């Protein structure tokens, strides 16, 4: 399991970080039909214009779905307030889902709020970061593992909150948890 409290600041510039994050999302949504991606998009709403770091639209059963992506290239933990701001943008722009991608970890309040309001949290971390597999709390089944990411320098870690606590999952071509999140 990846340690969600570990700081993993990257050497990417803010723009490189945003584009790398969108590349990870393109890989994760490859099986969706009629997918449209935009970077650094200005969107109009009844209450003003919003700058969005990334935007995804896709069609499922003839319904068009919108997803807003915010990228936070921070050294400090992501607070609940940052997730609340993304949720407010979702409501104003009529989007169904939100994704917040960070170079830093997420505070527990941010994770809890995101879970309730349909926002995925992803931490970008160095691919060389090792992790442990746990069967349950304090029972380690494998340690020192490194994610397989097809030679890319960074990996995305989906951070969720469930009945057992905080759960982390490395995103890859074989891990479809983010696609499932978008379709729920």
């Amino acid at each position: 399991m990846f340690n969600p409290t570990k700081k993993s600041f990257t050497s990417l510039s803010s723009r490189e970080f945003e584009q790398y994050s969108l590349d990870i999302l393109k890989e994760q949504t490859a099986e969706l039909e009629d997918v449209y991606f935009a970077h650094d998009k200005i969107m109009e709403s009844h209450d003003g214009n919003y700058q969005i770091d990334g935007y995804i639209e896709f069609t499922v059963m003839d319904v068009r779905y919108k997803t807003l992506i915010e990228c936070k290239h921070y050294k400090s933990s992501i607070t609940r307030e940052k997730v609340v701001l993304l949720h407010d943008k979702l409501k104003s722009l009529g989007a169904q889902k939100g994704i917040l991608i960070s170079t830093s970890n997420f505070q527990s309040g941010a994770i809890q709020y995101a879970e309730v309001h349909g926002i995925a949290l992803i931490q970008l971390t160095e691919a060389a970061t090792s992790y442990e597999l746990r069967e349950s709390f304090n029972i380690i089944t494998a340690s020192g593992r490194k994610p397989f990411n097809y030679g890319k320098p960074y990996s995305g870690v989906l951070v969720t909150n469930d009945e057992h606590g905080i759960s982390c999952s490395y995103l890859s071509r074989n891990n479809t948890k983010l696609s499932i999140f978008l379709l729920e």
Side-chain angles (χ1 to χ4, degrees), residues 111-148:
I111 296 169
Q112 291 167 352
Y113 188 89
E115 187 73 24
V116 171
H117 295 286
I119 297 172
L121 301 178
I122 298 172
Q123 183 177 358
L124 201 66
T125 186
E126 291 181 44
T129 303
S130 63
Y131 66 98
E132 298 173 339
L133 291 178
R134 295 174 185 248
E135 189 173 300
S136 61
F137 186 70
N138 284 336
I139 299 175
I140 299 171
T141 57
S143 64
R145 301 182 70 151
K146 296 191 184 322
F148 180 70

Side-chain angles (χ1 to χ4, degrees), residues 10 12-29 37-39 53-56 69-73 99-104 122-125 152 154-157 171 178:
T10 67
L12 299 171
S13 71
S14 292
R15 184 159 183 83
E16 290 171 328
F17 169 64
E18 290 172 2
Q19 293 193 324
Y20 195 94
S21 297
L22 287 178
D23 286 345
I24 289 174
L25 297 178
K26 284 177 185 176
E27 183 178 273
Q28 287 290 299
T29 58
F37 275 86
H39 176 241
D53 296 329
Y55 178 76
I56 305 172
I69 299 129
E70 284 292 317
C71 299
K72 303 297 182 194
H73 195 258
I99 301 172
L100 196 152
I101 302 177
S102 174
T103 51
S104 185
I122 298 172
Q123 183 177 358
L124 201 66
T125 186
K152 295 177 186 172
Y154 301 101
S155 295
V157 179
L171 299 176
L178 187 62

Side-chain angles (χ1 to χ4, degrees), residues 30-158:
E31 79 285 347
L32 296 176
E33 295 179 29
D34 193 23
V35 180
Y36 164 76
F37 275 86
H39 176 241
D40 197 19
K41 183 175 177 74
I42 302 296
M43 298 183 70
E44 295 180 24
S45 176
H46 65 282
D47 59 355
N49 293 340
Y50 293 92
Q51 183 277 331
I52 305 298
D53 296 329
Y55 178 76
I56 305 172
E57 274 189 21
F58 59 92
T59 303
V60 175
M61 296 180 0
D62 293 327
V63 177
R64 199 76 181 150
Y65 290 91
K66 301 176 190 177
T67 302
L68 306 181
I69 299 129
E70 284 292 317
C71 299
K72 303 297 182 194
H73 195 258
Y74 289 0
K75 288 185 180 179
S76 59
S77 298
I78 300 300
T79 62
R80 180 180 189 269
E81 288 73 23
K82 296 295 182 202
V83 182
V84 170
L85 287 173
L86 177 55
H87 184 246
D88 287 345
K89 288 180 185 181
L90 291 173
K91 291 188 296 187
S92 291
L93 295 169
Q96 288 77 22
K97 295 285 182 162
I99 301 172
L100 196 152
I101 302 177
S102 174
T103 51
S104 185
N105 57 325
F106 300 92
Q107 293 180 356
S108 61
I111 296 169
Q112 291 167 352
Y113 188 89
E115 187 73 24
V116 171
H117 295 286
I119 297 172
L121 301 178
I122 298 172
Q123 183 177 358
L124 201 66
T125 186
E126 291 181 44
T129 303
S130 63
Y131 66 98
E132 298 173 339
L133 291 178
R134 295 174 185 248
E135 189 173 300
S136 61
F137 186 70
N138 284 336
I139 299 175
I140 299 171
T141 57
S143 64
R145 301 182 70 151
K146 296 191 184 322
F148 180 70
N149 67 344
Y150 305 94
K152 295 177 186 172
Y154 301 101
S155 295
V157 179
L158 182 64

